[in-house]
Amino acid sequence: MEMEPDQLPDSEAEDPRQEFREYCIGGILAVLLTLAAFGLVASHWLDTLGCLMVLTLLAVVQVLVHFRYFLHIDLRRSHRDELQLILFTGLILFLMAGGTIWILWNLNSRM
Amino acid sequence: MNKIRKYSRHPGLNMGSTDPETHEAAETLLFGFWVFLMSDLVLFALLFADYAAQSQHGVAGGPTPGDILDLKNPFIETMLLLVSSFTFGLAALAMKYRQDRTRLVFWLVVTFALGAGFVGLEVYDFTDMISKGHGPQTSGFLSAFFLLVGTHGIHVSSGLIWLLVLLVQVFVFGLNRNVKTRLMRLAIFWHMLDVVWIGIFTFVYLFGVA
């Protein structure tokens, strides 16, 4: 579906204030997520396992915030090439990093 | 106005109709750079995997992550890098809309100062750890720690050198197409280093202390 320029979503339009606002939203969200992550560990609010799971979740959300607001990657058709590249890289990362951790853990438990 | 020019064509801030020719030229340049960044990300992912294994099984009777990592300096480093990512965004906006060298240079210098503060604090942390006998030769955990965090630090340092070179180019060549697309590539490099740092402060520092 090809959109006409006047139907472009707000963030696609060239508006200095809108683009400035996007960087501000990204900056504020990133600071809040970082504070939440450090605060969670400093406050000992959760047990270790719960803490690690919430930290992982916060990190994933913050990565998405950086991709969306600082790197301007989203689900729009015009960004499909980059998105596919990121998703493919994500798959490679999952296989290589996950596989490495799996194998090393497995070896360790046999030693 | 050609409507295709209004669409964003690559990661990072698009010049769009403020500079249509640069916008056209940037598409392949930035896509290529994006491919490089993704392969760089694979390098970091493997260093993360290495660290995940070594920090659990490679302590070799030496200190564990929980014994020696504290959160104060990493928190300051996180904030410095995060704010520098934001100020680079402001520099990119100044380049796009104002075509105004003063404001662009101002935000680039602020970004440089924040990045230099980050590297300085990290070097201070490293020397502090080494002076306490927790150098990379102590155990597999510390080797992996210095390798992962150090590789990121070297990336940030080379980003700083790149930033200095571009500051000179802004004055020597002005804001021509080459200088603009170089700044756009440095911008996504810089934002990506902040993304990698999210992984480091979460999986190295916060996981280590929690």
Side-chain angles (χ1 to χ4, degrees):
Chain A
M1 181 190 70
E2 193 78 346
M3 278 185 289
E4 294 301 316
D6 49 277
Q7 293 177 315
L8 289 171
D10 284 349
S11 55
E12 194 85 317
E14 284 181 335
D15 176 358
R17 275 198 216 150
Q18 177 64 30
E19 288 195 316
F20 174 66
R21 208 177 298 138
E22 293 227 339
Y23 277 105
C24 290
I25 293 170
I28 290 166
L29 283 177
V31 168
L32 288 178
L33 288 161
T34 306
L35 288 175
F38 277 89
L40 184 69
V41 173
S43 67
H44 303 287
W45 184 53
L46 287 171
D47 61 15
T48 307
L49 184 65
C51 194
L52 299 189
M53 290 195 315
V54 176
L55 284 176
T56 308
L57 185 70
L58 287 171
V60 170
V61 175
Q62 195 175 344
V63 167
L64 294 178
V65 165
H66 282 242
F67 272 121
R68 168 71 184 79
Y69 291 102
F70 292 157
L71 286 157
H72 308 282
I73 300 292
D74 48 43
L75 299 174
R76 270 183 227 124
R77 184 164 283 269
S78 56
H79 294 171
R80 282 296 150 83
D81 288 348
E82 283 81 16
L83 191 64
Q84 281 173 354
L85 186 58
I86 291 172
L87 292 176
F88 178 68
T89 309
L91 176 69
I92 296 286
L93 295 190
F94 177 72
L95 292 175
M96 291 175 85
T100 304
I101 292 172
W102 183 13
I103 288 169
L104 288 177
W105 238 266
N106 196 285
L107 279 177
N108 184 263
S109 64
R110 287 163 194 268
M111 281 207 289
Chain B
M1 186 177 33
N2 183 351
K3 83 175 176 188
I4 198 75
R5 286 180 179 155
K6 290 199 75 172
Y7 287 107
S8 71
R9 305 188 135 197
H10 54 73
L13 191 68
N14 281 243
M15 291 298 110
S17 60
T18 61
D19 185 348
E21 275 147 33
T22 301
H23 187 48
E24 301 270 352
E27 185 176 9
T28 42
L29 288 175
L30 268 87
F31 187 75
F33 192 71
W34 191 247
V35 174
F36 155 71
L37 277 181
M38 291 294 115
S39 63
D40 213 25
L41 216 51
V42 172
L43 166 77
F44 276 112
L46 292 177
L47 293 179
F48 272 112
D50 174 39
Y51 180 81
Q54 293 290 357
S55 63
Q56 294 295 312
H57 307 309
V59 289
T64 64
D67 294 336
I68 51 170
L69 298 178
D70 85 317
L71 291 182
K72 188 171 141 283
N73 283 352
F75 178 72
I76 301 170
E77 288 165 37
T78 304
M79 285 302 161
L80 287 173
L81 206 57
L82 181 53
V83 175
S84 82
S85 215
F86 178 70
T87 57
F88 210 126
L90 298 183
L93 284 175
M95 174 173 79
K96 177 173 181 181
Y97 288 110
R98 302 203 155 239
Q99 314 280 317
D100 165 7
R101 215 154 64 173
T102 321
R103 190 178 290 234
L104 168 65
V105 168
F106 172 76
W107 287 120
L108 288 181
V109 169
V110 171
T111 307
F112 182 88
L114 291 164
F118 170 86
V119 173
L121 200 55
E122 191 163 72
V123 168
Y124 171 81
D125 267 356
F126 281 2
T127 49
D128 187 46
M129 283 174 77
I130 291 167
S131 70
K132 286 176 181 160
H134 303 141
Q137 70 275 37
T138 312
S139 63
F141 149 56
L142 281 160
S143 302
F145 172 86
F146 278 94
L147 186 61
L148 170 60
V149 184
T151 304
H152 178 270
I154 289 171
H155 274 75
V156 177
S157 308
S158 38
L160 288 174
I161 295 167
W162 188 359
L163 185 53
L164 277 184
V165 171
L166 284 182
L167 272 172
V168 172
Q169 292 196 352
V170 166
F171 284 104
V172 175
F173 302 125
L175 281 177
N176 66 21
R177 188 196 300 169
N178 285 341
V179 173
K180 276 187 177 179
T181 56
R182 283 166 197 160
L183 278 166
M184 286 151 78
R185 275 171 279 179
L186 178 57
I188 61 173
F189 181 71
W190 198 261
H191 292 314
M192 190 55 78
L193 289 182
D194 203 17
V195 170
V196 173
W197 183 255
I198 297 171
I200 293 182
F201 83 69
T202 303
F203 296 116
V204 175
Y205 290 104
L206 292 176
F207 269 45
V209 174

